[in-house]
Each structure stands twice: as C-alpha cells, then as structure tokens.
Amino acid sequence: NVAIALTKNTSIAVAFSVAEATSIMRRLQNQDASATFPLLLTTAAGYLVITLLISFAFSRLERRVAVVR
C-alpha cells in the first residue's frame, strides 16, 4: 500500500515539475526568442538526467532489497 501511494504521489509531483519547467522555459523564451532551441535542449537534457538518476537509484535499491525465491 505504501509503494502504491508513493508511486501515485511521485507521478503527481512529476506532472507539476514538468509544468513548472515548461513555464520557466517559456518565460526565458519570451525574453530571448533566438534561444528557443537551446532552451528546449537544456530542459529536455535536464529532465533526462534527473529521470535517469532516479531510475538508476531505484534499480540499485530493488536489487538490494529483492526477495530471493
């Protein structure tokens, strides 16, 4: 039950963080329209790095606490 609640809460937090990152990106884009492509790449790369780090951390945690059958 705790794992399910944590997953749901994480999904909600991710939705808010993506919306916030997009909002910040648009605000920066309005300041300098020529920076659209670099802003898109930076935002995407930042999200990718965060996602990969979290995925790697949970993968290691799953291996550590795996139940041997």
Side-chain angles (χ1 to χ4, degrees):
N1 291 337
V2 174
I4 293 171
L6 181 61
T7 303
K8 287 181 181 180
N9 292 339
T10 304
S11 298
I12 292 169
V14 167
F16 283 119
S17 65
V18 168
E20 185 176 346
T22 305
S23 171
I24 292 170
M25 184 187 70
R26 286 187 184 179
R27 192 170 1 141
L28 291 171
Q29 182 183 13
N30 287 337
Q31 292 176 1
D32 184 11
S34 65
T36 300
F37 192 67
L39 284 170
L40 285 171
L41 284 178
T42 304
T43 303
Y47 183 74
L48 182 65
V49 166
I50 291 169
T51 305
L52 288 175
L53 287 174
I54 292 171
S55 176
F56 177 73
F58 275 100
S59 174
R60 296 212 26 155
L61 179 65
E62 283 178 1
R63 275 191 245 131
R64 180 170 284 181
V65 297
V67 176
V68 179
R69 296 179 189 223

